Amino acid sequence: MSILVTGANGQIGSELVGTLSETDRVIASDLASPSSASRTTAPDGIVFEKLDVTDRDGLHAVTEKYGIHTIYHLASLLSVTGEKNPDRAWDVNVNGLKHVLDLARARGLKVFWPSSIAVFGRATPAGRAPQTTILDPSTIYGVTKVSGEFLCRYYCEHFGVDVRSLRYPGLISYRTPPGGGTTDYAVKILTAAAEGTPYECFVGPETQLPMMYMPDAIRAAIELMHANPGFISVRTSYNVSAVSFTVGQLIDAVRARVPDFDIAYRPDRRQRIADSWPRDVDDRRAREDWGWRPKFDLNAMVDDMLAHLAPERSSVPNA
């Protein structure tokens, strides 16, 4: 029996497959081989299968071939990329998810699927978005995530599919380049600082969004999947949070370690998307139901990112 990870070349998948492979046989799938997208090679022992999640028959064939019992379904077009091709975003994000849920229904599979803070919008409370609130997305990505959340709940309630989900905030990682999301600026700032190059930011210094360091994001997904199903009270998607900061606060943390870091601001259309999302989220339900607790705050995240992106900086005071 094996675990299938779709979208394995992406920001989450490229790290999740390695962690899962420590205890399980992992089948990684994507549209291209992992070497073309990841900054690191795939861990030994992980099988790769080329797979398009919009191909229902191909998905069934891989599942049957490897005796899959659990799917971490990560394949998705993100917010900025989705705005450029809404039809493709709907096909991948919604139809691809439905293919996975239909397969899970037929074969009794367990499914993890990530949602996003993109489900929120201007009608959502701007300060700290509650678990249950108005979902008012302003992007096709957010629309697909709202649709996916209710699709997951429907398949759980009507067909007994054990599907679990997290509403991820912006994710920060050093392993894989950003994949076209509105929160990519955080990774790009840290990468530029590590490389000693200036950065022109597409949102302003007062922009504040919830973020999470990738080790916390990976651990949250696995902990949710290992939780007793009797404790899972949310079958749309759980809010999860780790740290919320403005761009200016991130720059202050970076300059404490890289004093000469140079940044300029040139907000574009992505500023409007960022402004439509809440500054933080209320994740008390995840903490109460299955014990969610983040480990990385802003300073710990900046330290670890710079240590991996530019190892020589790890010896700098405060780093």
Side-chain angles (χ1 to χ4, degrees), residues 27-40:
I27 312 302
S29 71
D30 213 306
L31 294 175
S33 62
S35 60
S36 66
S38 178
R39 290 179 179 150
T40 59

Side-chain angles (χ1 to χ4, degrees), residues 15 24 29 40 52 56 64 98 130 184 190 204 222 226 249 251 263 280 305:
E15 299 196 39
D24 294 277
S29 71
T40 59
D52 183 340
R56 183 193 298 267
E64 184 172 356
K98 188 174 186 301
D184 286 355
L190 289 160
I222 294 173
H226 287 172
Q249 289 170 331
I251 297 305
I263 186 168
D280 202 354
M305 281 286 288

Side-chain angles (χ1 to χ4, degrees), residues 253-264:
V254 167
R255 284 180 173 160
R257 296 147 176 86
V258 188
D260 59 348
F261 177 61
D262 183 21
I263 186 168

Side-chain angles (χ1 to χ4, degrees), residues 189 198-201 247 251 255 261-265:
I189 286 170
Y199 178 66
E200 187 174 273
C201 190
V247 176
I251 297 305
R255 284 180 173 160
F261 177 61
D262 183 21
I263 186 168
Y265 298 97

Side-chain angles (χ1 to χ4, degrees), residues 7-62:
N9 291 350
Q11 191 181 26
I12 302 173
S14 59
E15 299 196 39
L16 177 65
V17 292
T19 303
L20 291 174
S21 69
E22 295 172 4
T23 55
D24 294 277
R25 186 189 188 204
V26 177
I27 312 302
S29 71
D30 213 306
L31 294 175
S33 62
S35 60
S36 66
S38 178
R39 290 179 179 150
T40 59
T41 57
D44 293 338
I46 294 177
V47 177
F48 180 81
E49 286 276 352
K50 185 177 179 179
L51 179 65
D52 183 340
V53 296
T54 65
D55 176 6
R56 183 193 298 267
D57 292 339
L59 187 61
H60 278 253
V62 168

Side-chain angles (χ1 to χ4, degrees), residues 249-310:
Q249 289 170 331
L250 175 59
I251 297 305
D252 289 344
V254 167
R255 284 180 173 160
R257 296 147 176 86
V258 188
D260 59 348
F261 177 61
D262 183 21
I263 186 168
Y265 298 97
R266 192 179 297 275
D268 61 19
R269 68 189 187 285
R270 289 167 284 189
Q271 182 71 67
R272 293 193 298 273
I273 298 174
D275 289 345
S276 73
W277 293 347
R279 294 187 294 272
D280 202 354
V281 298
D282 184 347
D283 63 357
R284 284 177 293 180
R285 186 72 66 84
R287 292 171 183 260
E288 294 167 357
D289 284 2
W290 45 276
W292 163 242
R293 296 292 186 280
K295 292 183 178 179
F296 286 86
D297 61 13
L298 174 59
N299 284 311
M301 179 195 69
V302 171
D303 284 340
D304 200 60
M305 281 286 288
L306 292 179
H308 284 92
L309 291 169

Side-chain angles (χ1 to χ4, degrees), residues 43-108:
D44 293 338
I46 294 177
V47 177
F48 180 81
E49 286 276 352
K50 185 177 179 179
L51 179 65
D52 183 340
V53 296
T54 65
D55 176 6
R56 183 193 298 267
D57 292 339
L59 187 61
H60 278 253
V62 168
T63 302
E64 184 172 356
K65 178 180 178 180
Y66 294 102
I68 300 299
H69 63 80
T70 298
I71 299 178
Y72 284 78
H73 177 50
L74 310 179
S76 180
L77 267 66
L78 302 184
S79 56
V80 177
T81 306
E83 289 303 287
K84 296 176 182 177
N85 194 341
D87 289 343
R88 178 64 176 167
W90 182 269
D91 197 21
V92 173
N93 296 7
V94 179
N95 293 336
L97 172 61
K98 188 174 186 301
H99 291 340
V100 168
L101 293 174
D102 285 336
L103 184 60
R105 177 189 176 188
R107 302 180 69 94

